[in-house]
Amino acid sequence: MSHVTEPRGWASQPLLERESEILAIHRAVDDLCGITDTGPAARRGGVLTFAGSAGIGKTTLLAEARRHAAERNCTVLFARGGEQEKQVPFHVMRQLIQPAFAAMTEAERHEVLGTWYNIVAPALGLTAAPEVPTAPDPQGVRDGLD
Ligand SMILES: Nc1ncnc2c1ncn2[C@@H]1O[C@H](COP(=O)(O)OP(=O)(O)O)[C@@H](O)[C@H]1O
Ligand SMILES: [Mg+2]
């Protein structure tokens, strides 16, 4: 399983001058959970992006998004792309969903993946690599993940 290093200190130190970004995060997560000031509402999905130069605080804001979502009892999937792992097939997808699958029993994995099990499970590293290594068919894995 991939481990991602969390930025240290973000939770214990106040985030300076990020009120509007934090408000945007909290609103987006609350929309996703169907929580409004006036009570329950329809759930609304969306995409929130943060861009900026290195060290400006993007990772810290993402950590806050995860913290807030976890506080709302959301299932939080997290992955991080890196220059070094560009060539590793399905690296980000593995990070994203492997922890959820790893927490399941083998029977549950079979149930979730159904007939795609034999294609998707090895690509996600959920089963031992085949004795004769073969590259997964990328389209097959994509279809299975869909
Ligand atoms: N709003 C903020 N107030 C105080 N410290 C911050 C804030 N945002 C980030 N930091 C600190 O600045 C450093 C860099 O932040 P980070 O989120 O890793 O930046 P980025 O991901 O954009 O490169 C970290 O040590 C983080 O704790
Ligand atoms: Mg960062």
Side-chain angles (χ1 to χ4, degrees):
M1 188 186 304
S2 303
H3 290 277
V4 176
T5 309
E6 293 286 343
R8 289 178 194 279
W10 64 269
S12 55
Q13 292 178 7
L15 299 183
L16 307 175
E17 299 180 7
R18 289 289 175 265
E19 289 78 9
S20 62
E21 289 85 353
I22 289 172
L23 188 63
I25 286 171
H26 291 186
R27 282 203 177 130
V29 172
D30 291 351
D31 279 354
L32 197 60
C33 298
I35 301 168
T36 65
D37 293 341
T38 52
R43 291 169 170 229
R44 224 156 45 98
V47 177
L48 200 55
T49 62
F50 293 105
S53 51
I56 202 75
K58 303 177 297 295
T59 299
T60 305
L61 287 171
L62 293 179
E64 169 57 20
R66 293 201 299 282
R67 189 203 61 75
H68 188 70
E71 200 176 81
R72 296 276 181 277
N73 290 323
C74 294
T75 299
V76 179
L77 305 181
F78 174 60
R80 168 175 198 155
E83 193 77 31
Q84 309 246 326
E85 298 91 16
K86 262 186 179 168
Q87 308 305 325
V88 182
F90 303 107
H91 179 73
V92 167
M93 184 53 81
R94 279 185 186 215
Q95 281 188 63
L96 256 190
I97 63 176
Q98 208 183 38
F101 276 102
M104 295 178 192
T105 64
E106 194 59 16
E108 286 168 336
R109 279 183 217 138
H110 271 279
E111 195 184 327
V112 170
L113 294 173
T115 53
W116 291 105
Y117 183 92
N118 288 337
I119 294 172
V120 173
L124 293 180
L126 296 171
T127 55
E131 276 175 28
V132 183
T134 49
D137 164 29
Q139 188 59 46
V141 178
R142 271 185 220 120
D143 289 347
L145 289 169
D146 275 352

